[in-house]
Amino acid sequence: MKKYFYVIPAFLAFLLILGILYCVPILLSYTLIFFFGYERAYTLYMDHITAVSMISYLIALLPSAIWYHLAIGRKKGDHNKTHTLKLSHCGAVILLVFALNHAISLLLSILALLLPHATMAYDSLVENAGMTAYSLTWFLAVSVLAPLAEEMIFRGLICHYLKKTRMPFVAVNMIQAALFGCFHMNLIQGIYAFILGLFLGYLAYRYRTVKAAILAHAVFNLCGTVLTALEAAFLSPSMQTTIILLSLPLTYIMLNVIRDQTAD
């Protein structure tokens, strides 16, 4: 039974990042209200929403990185000795994420038909959260700090502690992906975050390093925003549909490529 006590630090790691990323914006908003009043504070907060996100992830990154280093990074063992991603590995990860991003676009289209109200709430979240307000601050928050902090927690610490319970990888991966989905606090985003989490967990497991998941997460965030906007601007609807349909077999192909690359 002692081995199941490792579930506790896994859940504490989840609460750590959840607490920081939801408490910091609240504290910042109340600070602004104290100094500027409600109306002015609201305007300042919404005009600098990406800066708020960057600050939140920066604060979350520090304890996440320290905990990760103490629990995993400084340990030497057979399960930790493969930490280098080769160029061919990076290429496979990027192609997989490209395909997965478009496959998830198909899922979102289906969810829009099945859950129209939830989809409207998600679209409003994307607009109000500054997810498409592209800038250097946005890039740092979305494609650098968020992947680093979230991967060290979910595919790093949570998976590390759950594996110590002797759970099979499938169970570990399902649990961490479910927590990753819940972490996003939105039904639509939670659904595709769960699927993304499964793939990120698989990449960290196959390549035996969280670096693969960090790379995939960063590329996915860019694909889901910048690349999607570029495709909408420059590609015809029929071309976009073709890419989405081809993404399904491409995802399968890249999973097999990654399996072959990491075969013992």
Side-chain angles (χ1 to χ4, degrees):
M1 291 297 295
K2 185 178 179 181
K3 62 185 180 182
Y4 290 106
F5 282 109
Y6 286 109
V7 171
I8 296 175
F11 190 64
L12 289 177
F14 172 72
L15 291 179
L16 170 70
I17 191 168
L18 185 68
I20 291 175
L21 292 180
Y22 284 93
C23 288
V24 169
I26 294 173
L27 291 174
L28 288 175
S29 64
Y30 276 108
T31 301
L32 290 173
I33 291 172
F34 178 79
F35 284 105
F36 300 103
Y38 179 79
E39 292 186 3
R40 178 61 176 158
Y42 178 80
T43 301
L44 286 171
Y45 186 91
M46 296 307 296
D47 288 346
H48 299 86
I49 190 71
T50 54
V52 172
S53 179
M54 185 185 73
I55 292 170
S56 300
Y57 273 107
L58 193 58
I59 293 173
L61 180 60
L62 181 59
S64 300
I66 292 173
W67 191 351
Y68 179 88
H69 173 71
L70 293 175
I72 303 172
R74 67 178 183 176
K75 293 184 177 181
K76 305 296 181 181
D78 290 338
H79 63 291
N80 276 325
K81 66 182 181 180
T82 304
H83 285 282
T84 302
L85 282 178
K86 298 179 181 178
L87 187 60
S88 59
H89 296 164
C90 294
V93 168
I94 291 171
L95 281 175
L96 173 64
V97 172
F98 172 82
L100 179 61
N101 173 73
H102 290 85
I104 287 179
S105 296
L106 179 60
L107 171 65
L108 291 177
S109 298
I110 296 171
L111 290 176
L113 296 175
L114 299 176
L115 303 168
H117 295 296
T119 300
M120 289 177 61
Y122 169 70
D123 292 339
S124 177
L125 171 68
V126 171
E127 182 178 350
N128 294 329
M131 293 183 186
T132 56
Y134 306 129
S135 64
L136 177 60
T137 302
W138 172 90
F139 175 79
L140 290 173
V142 171
S143 290
V144 179
L145 298 175
L148 283 171
E150 292 177 11
E151 293 312 313
M152 280 191 280
I153 292 293
F154 289 96
R155 266 59 67 176
L157 290 169
I158 291 176
C159 285
H160 169 72
Y161 287 119
L162 290 179
K163 282 189 286 188
K164 284 181 172 292
T165 67
R166 308 293 182 180
M167 290 184 190
F169 167 71
V170 172
V172 170
N173 206 30
M174 290 287 289
I175 293 172
Q176 65 82 16
L179 290 174
F180 189 57
C182 294
F183 165 75
H184 286 82
M185 296 291 188
N186 177 274
L187 179 59
I188 300 298
Q189 197 174 14
I191 291 172
Y192 77 71
F194 169 73
I195 296 171
L196 174 62
L198 291 176
F199 280 86
L200 294 174
Y202 179 77
L203 289 173
Y205 170 74
R206 294 301 304 188
Y207 287 114
R208 300 170 68 180
T209 172
V210 76
K211 294 176 185 177
I214 293 173
L215 172 63
H217 196 154
V219 173
F220 183 86
N221 285 354
L222 284 176
C223 285
T225 51
V226 177
L227 182 60
T228 299
L230 290 174
E231 289 179 349
F234 296 105
L235 298 181
S236 65
S238 60
M239 181 63 71
Q240 294 178 60
T241 302
T242 301
I243 293 174
I244 289 173
L245 293 177
L246 289 176
S247 70
L248 298 175
L250 180 58
T251 299
Y252 176 77
I253 291 170
M254 294 316 302
L255 285 173
N256 280 281
V257 169
I258 290 168
R259 184 192 61 191
D260 292 341
Q261 283 183 340
T262 56
D264 293 328

Short mmCIF file of all heavy atoms in Angstrom, two decimals, residues 4 7 10-11 14 154-155 158-159 161-163 165 167-183 194 197-198:
data_model
loop_
_atom_site.label_atom_id
_atom_site.label_comp_id
_atom_site.label_asym_id
_atom_site.label_seq_id
_atom_site.Cartn_x
_atom_site.Cartn_y
_atom_site.Cartn_z
N TYR A 4 1.25 3.53 -3.09
CA TYR A 4 0.16 4.40 -3.54
C TYR A 4 0.20 5.77 -2.88
O TYR A 4 -0.54 6.67 -3.27
CB TYR A 4 -1.19 3.73 -3.28
CG TYR A 4 -1.42 2.55 -4.20
CD1 TYR A 4 -1.33 1.24 -3.72
CD2 TYR A 4 -1.68 2.74 -5.55
CE1 TYR A 4 -1.52 0.15 -4.56
CE2 TYR A 4 -1.85 1.67 -6.41
CZ TYR A 4 -1.78 0.37 -5.90
OH TYR A 4 -1.95 -0.69 -6.75
N VAL A 7 0.70 8.91 -5.06
CA VAL A 7 -0.40 9.64 -5.68
C VAL A 7 -0.51 11.04 -5.05
O VAL A 7 -0.89 12.01 -5.73
CB VAL A 7 -1.73 8.87 -5.51
CG1 VAL A 7 -2.91 9.73 -5.96
CG2 VAL A 7 -1.68 7.57 -6.30
N ALA A 10 1.85 13.58 -6.61
CA ALA A 10 1.38 13.80 -7.99
C ALA A 10 0.23 14.79 -7.99
O ALA A 10 0.18 15.72 -8.81
CB ALA A 10 0.95 12.48 -8.62
N PHE A 11 -0.70 14.61 -7.06
CA PHE A 11 -1.85 15.51 -6.98
C PHE A 11 -1.44 16.89 -6.47
O PHE A 11 -1.97 17.91 -6.90
CB PHE A 11 -2.92 14.92 -6.06
CG PHE A 11 -4.24 15.66 -6.11
CD1 PHE A 11 -4.98 15.71 -7.28
CD2 PHE A 11 -4.71 16.29 -4.98
CE1 PHE A 11 -6.19 16.39 -7.32
CE2 PHE A 11 -5.92 16.98 -5.01
CZ PHE A 11 -6.66 17.03 -6.20
N PHE A 14 -0.16 18.89 -9.30
CA PHE A 14 -1.30 19.41 -10.06
C PHE A 14 -1.87 20.65 -9.39
O PHE A 14 -2.14 21.67 -10.04
CB PHE A 14 -2.36 18.32 -10.19
CG PHE A 14 -3.65 18.80 -10.78
CD1 PHE A 14 -3.75 19.12 -12.12
CD2 PHE A 14 -4.79 18.92 -9.99
CE1 PHE A 14 -4.95 19.56 -12.67
CE2 PHE A 14 -5.98 19.35 -10.52
CZ PHE A 14 -6.06 19.68 -11.87
N PHE A 154 3.03 18.03 -15.65
CA PHE A 154 2.17 16.93 -16.08
C PHE A 154 2.95 15.73 -16.61
O PHE A 154 2.75 14.60 -16.14
CB PHE A 154 1.17 17.43 -17.13
CG PHE A 154 0.11 18.33 -16.56
CD1 PHE A 154 0.25 19.70 -16.59
CD2 PHE A 154 -1.01 17.79 -15.96
CE1 PHE A 154 -0.71 20.53 -16.04
CE2 PHE A 154 -1.98 18.60 -15.40
CZ PHE A 154 -1.83 19.98 -15.44
N ARG A 155 3.79 15.93 -17.60
CA ARG A 155 4.55 14.81 -18.14
C ARG A 155 5.84 14.57 -17.37
O ARG A 155 6.51 13.55 -17.56
CB ARG A 155 4.85 15.05 -19.63
CG ARG A 155 3.86 14.44 -20.58
CD ARG A 155 2.44 14.92 -20.39
NE ARG A 155 2.25 16.33 -20.72
CZ ARG A 155 1.08 16.95 -20.70
NH1 ARG A 155 0.00 16.31 -20.30
NH2 ARG A 155 0.99 18.23 -21.01
N ILE A 158 4.05 14.61 -12.38
CA ILE A 158 2.87 13.75 -12.18
C ILE A 158 3.13 12.35 -12.72
O ILE A 158 2.85 11.34 -12.04
CB ILE A 158 1.63 14.38 -12.84
CG1 ILE A 158 1.22 15.64 -12.09
CG2 ILE A 158 0.47 13.38 -12.88
CD1 ILE A 158 0.06 16.40 -12.70
N CYS A 159 3.68 12.25 -13.92
CA CYS A 159 4.00 10.93 -14.46
C CYS A 159 5.06 10.22 -13.63
O CYS A 159 4.99 9.01 -13.39
CB CYS A 159 4.47 11.05 -15.91
SG CYS A 159 3.16 11.38 -17.10
N TYR A 161 5.69 10.46 -10.38
CA TYR A 161 5.16 9.91 -9.13
C TYR A 161 4.14 8.80 -9.38
O TYR A 161 4.10 7.81 -8.62
CB TYR A 161 4.53 11.03 -8.30
CG TYR A 161 5.55 11.95 -7.68
CD1 TYR A 161 5.56 13.31 -7.99
CD2 TYR A 161 6.51 11.47 -6.79
CE1 TYR A 161 6.51 14.16 -7.42
CE2 TYR A 161 7.46 12.30 -6.22
CZ TYR A 161 7.46 13.65 -6.55
OH TYR A 161 8.40 14.48 -5.99
N LEU A 162 3.33 8.93 -10.41
CA LEU A 162 2.36 7.88 -10.71
C LEU A 162 3.06 6.58 -11.10
O LEU A 162 2.60 5.48 -10.76
CB LEU A 162 1.40 8.32 -11.81
CG LEU A 162 0.40 9.43 -11.42
CD1 LEU A 162 -0.48 9.78 -12.62
CD2 LEU A 162 -0.46 9.01 -10.23
N LYS A 163 4.19 6.69 -11.82
CA LYS A 163 4.92 5.48 -12.19
C LYS A 163 5.49 4.76 -10.96
O LYS A 163 5.66 3.54 -10.98
CB LYS A 163 6.05 5.83 -13.17
CG LYS A 163 5.57 6.07 -14.59
CD LYS A 163 6.72 6.21 -15.57
CE LYS A 163 7.40 7.54 -15.44
NZ LYS A 163 8.41 7.77 -16.51
N THR A 165 3.95 4.21 -8.34
CA THR A 165 2.89 3.37 -7.76
C THR A 165 2.82 2.02 -8.47
O THR A 165 1.99 1.18 -8.10
CB THR A 165 1.52 4.06 -7.90
OG1 THR A 165 1.16 4.16 -9.29
CG2 THR A 165 1.53 5.44 -7.28
N MET A 167 1.81 1.58 -11.45
CA MET A 167 0.74 1.56 -12.45
C MET A 167 1.34 1.31 -13.82
O MET A 167 2.46 1.73 -14.11
CB MET A 167 0.02 2.91 -12.51
CG MET A 167 -0.82 3.27 -11.32
SD MET A 167 -1.67 4.86 -11.63
CE MET A 167 -2.32 5.20 -9.99
N PRO A 168 0.61 0.63 -14.72
CA PRO A 168 1.08 0.49 -16.09
C PRO A 168 1.08 1.86 -16.78
O PRO A 168 0.33 2.77 -16.37
CB PRO A 168 0.08 -0.46 -16.73
CG PRO A 168 -1.15 -0.35 -15.89
CD PRO A 168 -0.68 -0.07 -14.50
N PHE A 169 1.88 2.00 -17.83
CA PHE A 169 1.98 3.29 -18.51
C PHE A 169 0.63 3.78 -19.01
O PHE A 169 0.35 4.99 -18.94
CB PHE A 169 2.96 3.20 -19.69
CG PHE A 169 2.88 4.40 -20.60
CD1 PHE A 169 3.36 5.63 -20.18
CD2 PHE A 169 2.28 4.30 -21.85
CE1 PHE A 169 3.26 6.74 -21.01
CE2 PHE A 169 2.18 5.41 -22.68
CZ PHE A 169 2.68 6.63 -22.26
N VAL A 170 -0.21 2.89 -19.50
CA VAL A 170 -1.51 3.30 -20.03
C VAL A 170 -2.32 4.02 -18.95
O VAL A 170 -2.94 5.07 -19.20
CB VAL A 170 -2.29 2.08 -20.57
CG1 VAL A 170 -3.72 2.48 -20.93
CG2 VAL A 170 -1.59 1.50 -21.79
N ALA A 171 -2.32 3.48 -17.73
CA ALA A 171 -3.06 4.10 -16.63
C ALA A 171 -2.45 5.45 -16.25
O ALA A 171 -3.17 6.43 -16.04
CB ALA A 171 -3.09 3.17 -15.43
N VAL A 172 -1.12 5.48 -16.16
CA VAL A 172 -0.43 6.74 -15.84
C VAL A 172 -0.77 7.80 -16.87
O VAL A 172 -1.07 8.95 -16.53
CB VAL A 172 1.09 6.51 -15.78
CG1 VAL A 172 1.84 7.84 -15.71
CG2 VAL A 172 1.46 5.64 -14.60
N ASN A 173 -0.71 7.41 -18.13
CA ASN A 173 -0.96 8.37 -19.21
C ASN A 173 -2.40 8.87 -19.21
O ASN A 173 -2.66 10.05 -19.45
CB ASN A 173 -0.63 7.72 -20.56
CG ASN A 173 -0.26 8.74 -21.62
OD1 ASN A 173 0.30 9.81 -21.30
ND2 ASN A 173 -0.56 8.46 -22.87
N MET A 174 -3.34 7.99 -18.94
CA MET A 174 -4.74 8.38 -18.89
C MET A 174 -4.99 9.37 -17.74
O MET A 174 -5.70 10.37 -17.91
CB MET A 174 -5.63 7.15 -18.71
CG MET A 174 -5.70 6.24 -19.92
SD MET A 174 -6.68 6.94 -21.27
CE MET A 174 -8.32 6.81 -20.58
N ILE A 175 -4.38 9.11 -16.60
CA ILE A 175 -4.61 9.97 -15.42
C ILE A 175 -4.02 11.36 -15.64
O ILE A 175 -4.68 12.38 -15.39
CB ILE A 175 -4.04 9.32 -14.16
CG1 ILE A 175 -4.83 8.06 -13.80
CG2 ILE A 175 -4.06 10.30 -12.99
CD1 ILE A 175 -4.21 7.24 -12.68
N GLN A 176 -2.76 11.40 -16.10
CA GLN A 176 -2.15 12.71 -16.28
C GLN A 176 -2.86 13.50 -17.39
O GLN A 176 -2.99 14.73 -17.29
CB GLN A 176 -0.63 12.58 -16.57
CG GLN A 176 -0.24 11.90 -17.86
CD GLN A 176 -0.27 12.81 -19.08
OE1 GLN A 176 -0.31 14.03 -18.95
NE2 GLN A 176 -0.28 12.22 -20.26
N ALA A 177 -3.33 12.82 -18.43
CA ALA A 177 -4.05 13.51 -19.50
C ALA A 177 -5.40 14.03 -19.01
O ALA A 177 -5.84 15.12 -19.39
CB ALA A 177 -4.25 12.57 -20.69
N ALA A 178 -6.06 13.25 -18.14
CA ALA A 178 -7.34 13.68 -17.57
C ALA A 178 -7.13 14.92 -16.69
O ALA A 178 -7.93 15.87 -16.74
CB ALA A 178 -7.97 12.56 -16.76
N LEU A 179 -6.06 14.92 -15.90
CA LEU A 179 -5.75 16.09 -15.08
C LEU A 179 -5.42 17.30 -15.96
O LEU A 179 -5.80 18.43 -15.64
CB LEU A 179 -4.57 15.78 -14.15
CG LEU A 179 -4.85 14.80 -13.01
CD1 LEU A 179 -3.56 14.47 -12.27
CD2 LEU A 179 -5.89 15.37 -12.05
N PHE A 180 -4.73 17.05 -17.05
CA PHE A 180 -4.39 18.12 -18.00
C PHE A 180 -5.65 18.72 -18.61
O PHE A 180 -5.74 19.93 -18.80
CB PHE A 180 -3.47 17.56 -19.08
CG PHE A 180 -2.87 18.60 -19.99
CD1 PHE A 180 -2.12 19.64 -19.46
CD2 PHE A 180 -3.03 18.53 -21.36
CE1 PHE A 180 -1.54 20.60 -20.29
CE2 PHE A 180 -2.47 19.47 -22.20
CZ PHE A 180 -1.71 20.51 -21.67
N GLY A 181 -6.62 17.86 -18.91
CA GLY A 181 -7.89 18.36 -19.44
C GLY A 181 -8.64 19.17 -18.40
O GLY A 181 -9.14 20.26 -18.70
N CYS A 182 -8.71 18.68 -17.16
CA CYS A 182 -9.39 19.41 -16.08
C CYS A 182 -8.71 20.74 -15.79
O CYS A 182 -9.37 21.73 -15.45
CB CYS A 182 -9.41 18.56 -14.81
SG CYS A 182 -10.42 17.06 -14.92
N PHE A 183 -7.40 20.76 -15.93
CA PHE A 183 -6.61 21.96 -15.67
C PHE A 183 -7.06 23.15 -16.51
O PHE A 183 -6.98 24.30 -16.08
CB PHE A 183 -5.13 21.63 -15.94
CG PHE A 183 -4.22 22.81 -16.05
CD1 PHE A 183 -3.84 23.51 -14.93
CD2 PHE A 183 -3.72 23.20 -17.28
CE1 PHE A 183 -2.98 24.59 -15.03
CE2 PHE A 183 -2.86 24.27 -17.39
CZ PHE A 183 -2.49 24.98 -16.26
N PHE A 194 -7.18 16.85 -23.21
CA PHE A 194 -7.04 15.44 -22.79
C PHE A 194 -6.38 14.62 -23.90
O PHE A 194 -5.45 13.85 -23.64
CB PHE A 194 -8.40 14.86 -22.44
CG PHE A 194 -8.41 13.37 -22.25
CD1 PHE A 194 -7.84 12.82 -21.12
CD2 PHE A 194 -8.96 12.53 -23.20
CE1 PHE A 194 -7.83 11.43 -20.94
CE2 PHE A 194 -8.96 11.16 -23.03
CZ PHE A 194 -8.39 10.61 -21.89
N GLY A 197 -2.86 15.67 -24.25
CA GLY A 197 -2.10 15.14 -23.12
C GLY A 197 -1.69 13.69 -23.32
O GLY A 197 -0.59 13.28 -22.92
N LEU A 198 -2.58 12.90 -23.93
CA LEU A 198 -2.23 11.50 -24.21
C LEU A 198 -1.03 11.41 -25.15
O LEU A 198 -0.12 10.60 -24.93
CB LEU A 198 -3.44 10.79 -24.83
CG LEU A 198 -4.65 10.54 -23.94
CD1 LEU A 198 -5.78 9.93 -24.75
CD2 LEU A 198 -4.29 9.63 -22.77
#
